Amino acid sequence: MYLTETITAIATAIGESAIAIVRLSGPEAITLANEVFTGKDLTTVDSHTIQYGHIKDPKTATIIDEVLVSVFKAPRTFTMEDMVEINCHGGKIATQRILRLLLAQGARLAQPGEFTKRAFLNGRIDLAQAEAVMDVIHAKTEDALKMAVSGVDGKVSQLIQTLRSEVLTTLANIEVNIDYPEYDDAIEMSNHILKPRLEEVQVELEKILHQAQTGKIIREGIATAIVGRPNVGKSSLLNRLLQEERAIVTDIAGTTRDTVEGTLRLGHIVLNLVDTAGIRETADVVEAIGVEKSRQMIEQAQLVLIVLNNNEPLSDVDRELVTMTADKPRLVLINKMDLTNQLDLTELQLAENELVKISALEDWGLNQLEGRIQQLFDLADFTSEATENFVSNVRHIGLIEQASQSIQAALEGIALEMPVDLITVDIQDAWQALGEILGEEAKTDLIDELFSKFCLGK
Amino acid sequence: MKQYDVIVIGGGHAGSEAALAPARMGLQTLMITGSIEMIAHMPCNPSIGGPAKGIVVREIDALGGEMGRNTDKTNIQMKMLNLSKGPAVWSLRAQADKVEYPQAMQETILNQKNLAVLEAMVEEILVDEAQQVTGVRLETGDIVEAKAVILTTGTYLKSQILVGHTATDGGPSGQRASMGLSGNLQALGFDLFRLKTGTPARVATTSVDYTKTTIQPGDDVPRTFSFDTPMSEAKNPDDQLPCYLTYTAPETHQIINDNLGESAMYSGMVEGAGPRYCPSIEDKLVRFADKERHQIFLEPESKHTPEIYVQGFSTSMPHDVQEQMLRSLPGLENCEIIRYAYAIEYDAIVPTQLWPTLETKKVSGLFSAGQMNGTSGYEEAAGQGLIAGINAALKVKGEEQLVLRRDEAYIGVLIDDLVTKGTDEPYRLLTSRAEYRLLLRHDNADLRLRPHGIRVGLIDSERKANFAMKVMMIEMELARLQTLRITPKAATNAYLQTIPTAAIRDGISLYELMKRPEIEYHHLAPLMPIPAHLTAEVIEQVEVQIKYEGYIAKAMRQAERVKDLESKRIPMNLDYAQVPNLANEARQKLGEIRPLTIGQASRISGVNPADISILMIYLKSLKRSV
Ligand SMILES: Nc1nc2c(ncn2[C@@H]2O[C@H](COP(=O)(O)OP(=O)(O)OP(=O)(O)O)[C@@H](O)[C@H]2O)c(=O)[nH]1
Ligand SMILES: [Mg+2]
């Protein structure tokens, strides 16, 4: 069994903070740590205490770092196993050496999320919590962190619970009709009554899914491609947005040869920006390879920023880019607004809110650009409050999708005039899928509901 | 001193099946009962079947039990419930004749080869040092030996009748309670717990003014429970007795509320947990205070006694209050009370002490079935009695035990729930307890279970042949409908529109056509000759299987997934202390229940998915190290 092994890992992100924590969990966590520690005998200290000392290579007797060591004894620990946390401040290299020392002593390098998995396997946390903790590990921004945390203390569970109990009420009503056919106090759940109820649930589920999609954007960032002809100012725009000289800017067309990337926090969302090589045009013939490459970039992107030059007439490349992105979230940026206007866009028939006028050189119009992007992702009025209601985990989203499909199947069954006991099969599935998000299945709920809602029996 | 293969203690509905099965399987069997006349007696209302329970009766019949056939012989009303809903929840309910039902069962039992009946009280179950049952000692001191013993003592263990503030030792219908056996079982190490149930008053048929009630007739077509009762022997629907519906009046509620302190239930006299689905009327009033009226069904009990059962009106009020209460019901103003309502409290065995075979874990060869396992209802009792009888016989014969899965039978759901989760109130089957109820239908009980009945030897050769024939006919007809095609000819479409159903544009098979909700099998007749040899049962099966094909297939896929867990066996005597990393609660629960499969383990409350994966991995490592 895997749980008999002691695992270790650097718990803090490398290079991010001054203090690094090396964590151990498993039956030999304390003895292993003790072998590389000088100070008090860790095997005899009380649980949940912190010891001062040094980490020393037992073979060469060289001191590696000055540390604080926390000892936690099972079962009152995160993983419910013995745990040790070594807080060191010697920087990246010292931290790595401590880790290697522990591995040499017989610990195994933990897989990503393995501490959480153990906590789950040991029954410390339920599945929803475990998965939320997993998300914490990957959280990128404050909001994502908030979402992940709200999962931990049961916000996701609460959201699902509410919807699930609505489904349960419907189910209980159907069940009463079936198990007590002569009981006259419960309305007969005909398909006719069922339909609007299920449609309501479906709307709710879709809302959650929509929000989840937004949640995903918050957590993972929006893949954003900056495309346009050479020299229109793509790299200048990237640098302005990132507020650093990430890409080289010259007045020579074709400066950017390969892609340049950067991450931008825009209020509550993250843009993963990619600056691309400009698409060339020789004697009005669009260079096929350049277009092809841009097409790929555009396909992968969730948002496309097309940069045009206010100072030049519209070209075939510009037209091609606009057509290519017609059904994608995109914005058409008219750069170099500080120069005289030579560009006429009337033939493109763009909507007013697709156009943003900017000057990368003089740094104006960028606030408006950011506003437009937020609008585009329906996040303009995205308050921190609202973030708490996102379902952020891929598995949860999958299960909600499953529930939504089951409700859909029930609605299709109703359209086919299937009898109600068959329709309930799908409703039950939806109920179960929602229950699975909480990691527990609760069949008896239904029977409890039956007898608490209805006065039954002889 | 006589030696038997199997002894059955008790002659109720569990005991009757438990005794008939081993005898029919060729084993020397003895039924010990307090009174032969009370065999298969019906102390509560003589209703048999209903949702889930009706399907249990079909299952008993499919396996080779007696309840279905006996009901067919003695019913005074039959009704198919939930017909407006789908086939998964159709269920038959009968009003049995309270006098004829036990008589017919007694006749069957007394005439059964290999089965002896003894009127006596059992004092002690005899067990040797190896914890193997060896027989029983009677009150008289006599000892009867047996290789297996089945307990089916119903509500008679240390039972007390409660009316108002008085409690008297005794079982239902004035029979003696069994006082010694409880202590004996505890001495053997069994945990017992106390349960409560009740039964309402009976009033004289002639004293009711039916004009103030609504008549509730039975079906107007003949119906039968048993797969083997020929239609010619079904009761004539015209001879049925109807039921009647009335309601509690505001005055009734007033009387009850004024006298709550008089009720045994509310005066704190009752220790046992009462069933939620069989609450007393005072319970209903307290728990659902804003409900203005409650339904009361008046059910005739027999053609031979002038008694009406007042269903929905159980109570443990003193007699004088009961009288006032009854007379406040519309139609019962002048009723004559023949028997008063009472509550009864009794000992039951904690059912998690049983294997899924219904053998006790503590004493080898000792089985337990019926109400004493914490269930309520005749059907639940009979289903368990049959399984205990079959398994006791199989054990004596040294053959493999019979455990029905949850996707295979309501009886499987019932027993699995009992032995895996236990119960704290008398357990009643509900269709909602079954996760695969689309597979557990009224119509296919024989297809599901008759093969088991044949395997254990409860189905004689004639019934075996009939069954094989039915299975073949269904398959042939399904295949035939797939090959028969109709094309959009004018005449064909003209006929389809008369049904009415939409005209066809391309050729389709009759199988496809049957899938339309409005098409019934008989609609196909003008399109093709219907084979004359097809029985109504075969046609019903063909209809259900085609119409609900998609749903049934889906349920089967789901069941298949779980079956996989069900086939992963856990050694009977696994030492859970040796399994590392189990959560404490799980370790304790698993050690207590000792599930036989991973599937069963996963249903124990307090055992979470993490524990299951740990257990699975441990079992794997055990296998590897062997
Ligand atoms: N006047 C003016 N000049 C600008 C503006 N934005 C960029 N430029 C200038 O235009 C030239 C090209 O800018 P880049 O940002 O390198 O253009 P690019 O689109 O990345 O070009 P390639 O990488 O070659 O495809 C530089 O000289 C910039 O200073 C603007 O808003 N106004
Ligand atoms: Mg560039």
Side-chain angles (χ1 to χ4, degrees), chain B residues 439-514:
Chain B
L439 303 180
L440 309 183
R441 302 189 307 272
H442 172 93
D443 63 81
N444 71 351
D446 56 340
L447 298 178
R448 292 184 273 128
L449 299 176
R450 195 133 272 198
H452 288 302
I454 292 170
R455 195 265 283 180
V456 303
L458 281 174
I459 306 297
D460 61 31
S461 54
E462 190 194 331
R463 287 192 282 163
K464 207 152 95 183
N466 286 343
F467 175 68
M469 176 100 142
K470 178 176 171 186
V471 172
M472 263 171 58
M473 288 203 297
I474 294 166
E475 278 167 12
M476 279 166 54
E477 185 58 9
L478 285 170
R480 203 178 69 95
L481 292 178
Q482 248 156 353
T483 59
L484 290 174
R485 296 180 67 82
I486 49 171
T487 50
K489 274 185 269 182
T492 305
N493 273 333
Y495 168 66
L496 291 179
Q497 268 152 4
T498 63
I499 291 176
T501 186
I504 53 167
R505 266 192 244 128
D506 302 306
I508 60 167
S509 68
L510 291 178
Y511 192 96
E512 283 305 312
L513 187 68
M514 269 294 298

Side-chain angles (χ1 to χ4, degrees), chain B residues 516-584:
Chain B
R516 297 186 175 182
E518 63 276 14
I519 298 290
E520 287 164 31
Y521 185 84
H522 69 86
H523 288 135
L524 304 182
L527 297 168
M528 56 134 209
I530 289 187
H533 57 274
L534 289 189
T535 61
E537 276 191 358
V538 170
I539 290 171
E540 177 183 48
Q541 204 46 237
V542 166
E543 269 188 319
V544 170
Q545 287 195 20
I546 296 177
K547 280 207 181 312
Y548 308 109
E549 191 182 27
Y551 284 93
I552 293 172
K554 192 167 142 200
M556 289 192 12
R557 275 199 304 277
Q558 284 171 347
E560 210 57 48
R561 247 178 276 147
V562 180
K563 229 185 256 173
D564 193 45
L565 293 181
E566 232 49 62
S567 65
K568 291 198 167 71
R569 297 191 156 270
I570 304 175
M572 243 182 190
N573 294 314
L574 184 74
D575 181 1
Y576 288 94
Q578 299 303 313
V579 185
N581 296 309
L582 279 178
N584 278 338

Side-chain angles (χ1 to χ4, degrees), chain A residues 231 233-236 247-250 252 254-257 260 275-278:
Chain A
N231 241 345
K234 301 183 293 298
S235 301
S236 306
I248 301 164
V249 172
T250 69
I252 306 163
T255 303
T256 308
R257 292 286 167 167
V260 180
D275 175 22
T276 63

Side-chain angles (χ1 to χ4, degrees), chain B residues 33-100:
Chain B
T33 169
S35 155
I36 289 175
E37 275 160 38
M38 296 303 285
I39 288 175
H41 176 69
M42 312 185 115
C44 204
N45 64 333
S47 164
I48 288 183
K53 291 158 166 275
I55 301 177
V56 168
V57 179
R58 294 278 279 182
E59 292 177 351
I60 291 169
D61 188 70
L63 287 167
E66 196 60 28
M67 182 171 249
R69 285 194 276 184
N70 206 59
T71 310
D72 288 344
K73 284 186 224 166
T74 60
N75 70 83
I76 51 177
Q77 190 193 103
M78 282 274 197
K79 197 169 188 166
M80 188 65 97
L81 303 170
N82 285 334
L83 269 181
S84 68
K85 295 159 199 139
V89 295
W90 294 340
S91 58
L92 192 55
R93 188 187 56 205
Q95 293 292 129
D97 188 300
K98 192 198 180 108
V99 175
E100 290 178 21

